[in-house]
Amino acid sequence: MKTTYEKVTSSHIELGAVSIFDAVDSPDPEVFHEAFSQLNDAAAGIVGTLIADARFPGNTVVQICREGGASGFYPNFIVMPLLRAATAKGGAREAVSWLEKVFATTSAQGKIFHAIWGAPVDNEIALTEEISIVPIAALPDSAIKTWLTEHRVNSPVSSMLDFISPQSALIVPFYVPRVLHKPGIDPDPSSVEYLRVNDLLNDATLALSAVGPRVTTLAVQWFAFDDPDLELTAFGTGSRGQLMEILPSQPPQYPKLDGVEAADIVRRFLNLPADVKKKIRVTLNRLQQAQKRRTLGDRCVELSTAFETLLGDNKATEMTHKIKVRSVRLLGGSPEIRRHNAAVMGWMYDARSKLVHTGEDVTKGKAINGEVLSPAVLVERATSICTEIVKRLIREGVIPDWADFDILA
């Protein structure tokens, strides 16, 4: 073991002067696979030695449970974490002691990190009793954090996300009730709690988009044990991303979150009745897509869907009129504000119709209350109206019965 450790620690992969231990923690698949191959070649013989050692479970396969399942550990994948532990602990003897500690561990606490674009913060903010948001810089050092803050993808398919790193991350504590798992012997690890937490994080991220408005987008999610010794068991980086249907047309740069409003909106959104949350979730998704779209006509199409999800009914007649009147009545304000909002809504629907029926993007603005507004400004005003309606309904916790609203408001 000692000779192997000394051999491996002096190795560098061919893709550059990168230590083999840094390479096996790289999120870059090419670097990882090259390092893993070299590592296994250099460490041949370690597995057999461990299997023969009575302190360890022989040929019995043991996996490490994390947040959503289990991954390979012993004996087939032990080389990487064992040599990583040797580096962290200072030698081969210390690595063996580390392995004994891991096998003696039953349960453990960790955290799920959910890095996002679009919601910068200066300090930690408690959004709920379970969820907090922190600056990326405040996260524990890790290969994923380094990759997020320093790595820029050189790809022929680029987007505005390439030009700015995620600014913050949601954090949720996560308890792993059984760290060691023997396939075929132990019951399969449950993913129920992880799925609950994942849905919670996705909903909280979406709710933050109403604090602005802003586009809040998941960059990457990962889990880490609080105990650094357990974290050494990781096989690679173990991160998750998401497939994006629409990439933003502008860099995701927004003002710092208002912590008080963010916590209020997130908590209220998460506690909404299921039927109300379902409609607001669709609306927020369309509101985000409207901000990602490049052309103004496309933005108006997305906005009209967002409005109709919340303010529409089962009758398709006079939809434009109903959406305009209901949005104006719902927000209220002085006669001047109401006329302004009605004019913005009317312009937005005209722009939507022009694109849908003629294929042409909107080019003309509109004079409202003596002020000539450009198409870009009008779209921003419509976006703000939609955002304010969403926040109002989140705070009220109910969507009005529109038949009653139309005659009683």
Side-chain angles (χ1 to χ4, degrees):
M1 171 71 183
K2 181 178 180 181
T3 302
T4 300
Y5 168 67
E6 292 172 348
K7 177 182 177 181
V8 170
T9 52
S10 63
S11 299
H12 289 78
I13 66 171
E14 296 177 357
L15 297 173
V18 179
S19 77
I20 200 163
F21 294 111
D22 288 338
V24 295
D25 285 331
S26 172
D28 187 320
E30 185 178 0
V31 175
F32 169 81
H33 288 299
E34 176 64 24
F36 181 63
S37 175
Q38 291 190 24
L39 189 62
N40 277 325
D41 290 344
I46 287 182
V47 173
T49 301
L50 290 175
I51 290 174
D53 192 321
R55 290 173 293 181
F56 306 114
N59 282 308
T60 301
V61 173
V62 179
Q63 297 178 325
I64 296 291
C65 295
R66 297 171 73 83
E67 77 284 26
S71 58
F73 179 58
Y74 174 94
N76 298 325
F77 301 96
I78 193 59
V79 170
M80 186 195 316
L82 189 65
L83 294 177
R84 188 191 291 125
T87 299
K89 299 295 182 180
R93 186 183 301 275
E94 290 77 7
V96 173
S97 296
W98 163 83
L99 188 57
E100 289 182 284
K101 174 189 173 181
V102 172
F103 277 119
T105 302
T106 54
S107 61
Q109 189 70 43
K111 294 181 179 67
I112 294 177
F113 301 98
H114 192 88
I116 60 176
W117 282 286
V121 294
D122 286 326
N123 303 292
E124 181 175 357
I125 297 171
L127 297 176
T128 70
E129 292 183 358
E130 193 172 7
I131 307 171
S132 59
I133 183 170
V134 303
I136 281 288
L139 295 180
D141 289 337
S142 68
I144 297 179
K145 176 183 174 182
T146 300
W147 178 67
L148 283 174
T149 55
E150 298 179 6
H151 180 67
R152 298 265 61 87
V153 178
N154 183 16
S155 168
V157 180
S158 62
S159 79
M160 289 300 174
L161 297 175
D162 295 339
F163 297 97
I164 184 169
S165 299
Q167 304 99 328
S168 59
L170 304 181
I171 302 178
V172 171
F174 194 90
Y175 176 67
V176 180
R178 179 163 49 88
V179 172
L180 302 177
H181 172 66
K182 298 176 182 178
I185 300 174
D186 298 329
D188 288 341
S190 172
S191 59
V192 171
E193 177 61 9
Y194 167 69
L195 293 175
R196 182 194 71 84
V197 171
N198 186 59
D199 288 344
L200 196 69
L201 288 167
N202 288 334
D203 276 349
T205 301
L206 187 60
L208 287 175
S209 67
V211 186
R214 61 185 70 231
V215 177
T216 45
T217 308
L218 170 65
V220 67
Q221 183 191 102
W222 71 99
F223 169 85
F225 286 110
D226 290 344
D227 185 342
D229 282 347
L230 290 179
E231 194 55 21
L232 291 173
T233 66
F235 181 74
T237 55
S239 60
R240 297 178 177 87
Q242 70 171 353
L243 295 174
M244 299 184 195
E245 293 183 67
I246 304 172
L247 294 169
S249 60
Q250 297 293 326
Q253 294 177 297
Y254 298 94
K256 297 291 175 62
L257 274 181
D258 180 323
V260 174
E261 183 181 25
D264 178 61
I265 291 296
V266 169
R267 290 172 185 173
R268 290 178 184 273
F269 178 73
L270 295 178
N271 289 321
L272 287 173
D275 58 335
V276 177
K277 185 188 292 185
K278 181 179 179 180
K279 285 196 169 186
I280 293 182
R281 188 185 286 122
V282 172
T283 299
L284 284 172
N285 275 311
R286 289 293 178 170
L287 183 58
Q288 289 218 59
Q289 289 179 194
Q291 295 173 82
K292 292 178 183 179
R293 293 289 193 182
R294 183 174 301 276
T295 68
L296 298 179
D298 281 328
R299 294 180 68 181
C300 290
V301 170
E302 299 286 1
L303 283 171
S304 66
T305 304
F307 279 109
E308 289 171 19
T309 300
L310 282 186
L311 308 179
D313 49 37
N314 294 326
K315 300 175 182 179
T317 57
E318 300 180 344
M319 183 61 74
T320 301
H321 174 75
K322 288 187 289 190
I323 298 303
K324 179 169 69 173
V325 172
R326 288 169 185 172
S327 62
V328 170
R329 287 181 175 176
L330 193 61
L331 292 183
S334 67
E336 184 179 46
I337 290 175
R338 289 173 181 249
R339 292 189 185 97
H340 175 276
N341 288 345
V344 169
M345 295 296 293
W347 178 90
M348 183 205 74
Y349 265 97
D350 286 344
R352 169 196 174 278
S353 296
K354 182 176 182 181
L355 181 68
V356 170
H357 296 298
T358 71
E360 296 180 10
D361 197 17
V362 62
T363 57
K364 293 184 178 180
K366 186 178 182 68
I368 303 177
N369 295 335
E371 180 184 9
V372 178
L373 303 179
S374 69
V377 170
L378 287 161
V379 170
E380 292 299 329
R381 299 269 175 102
T383 302
S384 295
I385 290 171
C386 187
T387 305
E388 291 305 313
I389 289 174
V390 168
K391 288 195 287 189
R392 174 162 181 166
L393 295 180
I394 288 175
R395 291 183 175 118
E396 292 181 354
V398 64
I399 296 175
D401 181 318
W402 296 117
D404 283 346
F405 182 88
D406 289 342
I407 60 176
L408 301 177

